[in-house]
Amino acid sequence: MDEVTKVFTQIPEFLEYLGPECAAAIANAAPNDELDLSPKFPFLCSRRYADLIKKAAEPEALLREILPTRDELASVPGFVDDPVGDLPAGKADCVIQKYDRRALIVSTATCGARCRFCFRKNYPFQNIPDVARQVSDWLDTHSDIWEVILSGGDPLMLGPGEFRDLVEAIAMHSSVTTLRIHTRLPVMRPDVVMQHFELLRELPARFECVLVSHVDHPDELDEQSQMVFGQLRFSGWTLLNQSVLLKGVNNNAGTLEKLSRRLFEQGVLPYYLHQLDHANGVAHFEVSDETAKELIKEIRTRLPGYLVPKLVREIAGEKSKTPIL
Ligand SMILES: *Cc1c(COP(=O)(O)O)cnc(C)c1O
Ligand code: SF4
């Protein structure tokens, strides 16, 4: 396998690649007896993310996002398999519409890596055959939809041909004026984002284009993410970021401040700071609303208003994300 595109699916091989210089951070993030070598939600990490860990100022923060621990086995009241009510909102197999005149597409089940706090970690993901046709059929009968959000999994993990088919199917529907992509690949697999670049560059001629990256920690940003964001911005994309507030990863004001500033240096504005969705197996990442509000209050004193993300939670059945004030 090509070294750049390599992914790790086996934890021992991944730990060996990180090497002795990461041993202390690994012991910190997942002590030996806490590590879960065969987790139900599979382990997957890109070589690129491993390289980010190696050069991180806070490697244990990044490791906690990716290394499965036995904490995931805890059954905690209130933490459930479908925390955000995706299943009742599913209209077609891959279309989720919760909000007025806007729809979200679960484009693929594949991701560039598996985040341990994933809200869809227990979701009955299947790769959707012929997602373009399904979306097109659905849009045919929903001419009120003006924003289509490609989510997943990670939509940019579709092969270049499939991704193009999907976008072209959407473009056939003139009611859709905004195309939005939610992706973690500028962090996990910048090489894969670049595979789609020819198409990504053309899209702002057809839609208002918004890319919402998912970056949780300033050490996830480097010259490769900067290159990806720079090219998108130059092509006319609006760049926003959402993060999840995660205990042991970014639950302090200094980290959140640095994250906002580094995103801005790369041309990206902070959009949401999400309170954790209560999926089974993620309770150990929980930060209380009270602490979350304190953190926002603190970073508000350190940053211009446009670099302070909105603190929100998703509540199943609500008609929008719910601000935490
Ligand atoms: C989060 C979400 C959106 C987007 O909400 P915004 O507040 O516009 O970011 C749209 N559809 C679904 C199903 C969602 O879960
Ligand atoms: S990239 Fe998103 S969907 Fe994929 S594992 Fe991470 S949080 Fe879950």
Side-chain angles (χ1 to χ4, degrees):
M1 197 185 299
D2 173 6
E3 277 305 295
V4 182
T5 59
K6 182 167 173 60
V7 292
F8 296 102
T9 56
Q10 301 301 318
I11 294 169
E13 189 198 2
F14 167 70
L15 296 179
E16 194 183 312
Y17 178 77
L18 290 179
E21 71 269 30
C22 288
I26 293 165
N28 232 332
N32 244 337
D33 54 342
E34 285 293 313
L35 201 59
D36 184 353
L37 290 175
S38 48
K40 190 171 120 203
F41 184 64
F43 170 79
L44 178 70
C45 184
S46 58
R47 144 112 183 235
R48 146 79 181 163
Y49 200 67
D51 290 337
L52 284 172
I53 294 169
K54 281 186 182 226
K55 64 179 180 184
E58 295 175 26
E60 60 274 21
L62 273 56
L63 279 162
R64 286 193 186 101
E65 294 191 59
I66 210 83
L67 263 186
T69 61
R70 303 183 61 77
D71 291 329
E72 295 180 24
L73 302 171
S75 164
V76 178
F79 286 75
V80 298
D81 281 349
D82 182 23
V84 297
D86 274 349
L87 299 182
K91 303 283 156 133
D93 280 350
C94 56
V95 181
I96 298 177
Q97 187 186 4
K98 290 183 189 167
Y99 305 152
D100 194 31
R101 306 205 296 151
R102 305 191 293 126
L104 180 148
I105 313 299
V106 179
S107 321
T108 170
T110 312
C111 297
R114 292 284 181 197
C115 315
R116 304 322 299 174
F117 52 84
C118 180
F119 70 112
R120 293 209 174 108
K121 91 194 271 191
N122 312 292
Y123 193 74
F125 263 140
Q126 298 169 22
N127 267 325
I128 304 111
D130 209 359
V131 63
R133 194 191 43 76
Q134 277 196 42
V135 170
S136 189
D137 289 352
W138 190 82
L139 286 173
D140 282 346
T141 55
H142 295 80
S143 54
D144 61 332
I145 299 288
W146 67 269
E147 182 187 53
V148 172
I149 301 173
L150 303 182
S151 178
D154 201 306
L156 297 178
M157 289 300 286
L158 288 171
E162 278 174 294
F163 183 65
R164 183 175 280 276
D165 288 349
L166 175 57
V167 169
E168 280 174 0
I170 296 167
M172 304 260 291
H173 298 80
S174 57
S175 60
V176 181
T177 54
T178 299
L179 182 73
R180 177 161 143 193
I181 294 180
H182 276 240
T183 178
R184 195 149 159 68
L185 292 199
V187 168
M188 293 297 181
R189 293 294 301 276
D191 58 311
V192 174
V193 183
M194 293 318 288
Q195 284 174 11
H196 297 292
F197 212 76
E198 222 180 276
L199 176 60
L200 292 173
R201 192 169 29 217
E202 293 165 13
L203 289 177
R206 167 61 185 84
F207 301 101
E208 298 301 324
C209 289
V210 184
L211 184 124
V212 182
S213 62
H214 176 172
V215 183
D216 298 314
H217 192 281
D219 289 346
E220 294 178 346
L221 296 168
D222 69 351
E223 65 288 346
Q224 286 194 46
S225 56
Q226 180 148 33
M227 196 267 297
V228 167
F229 290 136
Q231 301 232 22
L232 286 165
R233 200 158 163 238
F234 184 72
S235 309
W237 285 73
T238 296
L239 305 180
L240 303 173
N241 183 70
Q242 65 174 31
S243 311
V244 184
L245 184 57
L246 297 165
K247 187 165 143 194
V249 177
N250 57 13
N251 60 330
N252 69 79
T255 304
L256 293 173
E257 176 192 1
K258 201 183 282 176
L259 175 59
S260 277
R261 292 193 58 181
R262 208 169 279 175
L263 283 165
F264 184 54
E265 282 163 17
Q266 303 204 352
V268 184
L269 285 176
Y271 175 41
Y272 280 150
L273 179 63
H274 269 273
Q275 271 293 46
L276 189 69
D277 293 322
H278 288 181
N280 251 327
V282 307
H284 54 293
F285 286 112
E286 173 85 338
V287 176
S288 71
D289 280 0
E290 200 175 308
T291 305
K293 284 190 277 190
E294 288 292 314
L295 287 169
I296 290 291
K297 214 165 132 188
E298 174 59 29
I299 64 170
R300 208 173 270 142
T301 67
R302 303 187 190 189
L303 292 166
Y306 58 85
L307 292 187
V308 180
K310 298 184 186 91
L311 180 64
V312 293
R313 174 189 299 294
E314 182 156 359
I315 299 175
E318 292 293 319
K319 297 311 262 173
S320 72
K321 309 282 186 253
T322 303
I324 301 172
L325 300 167

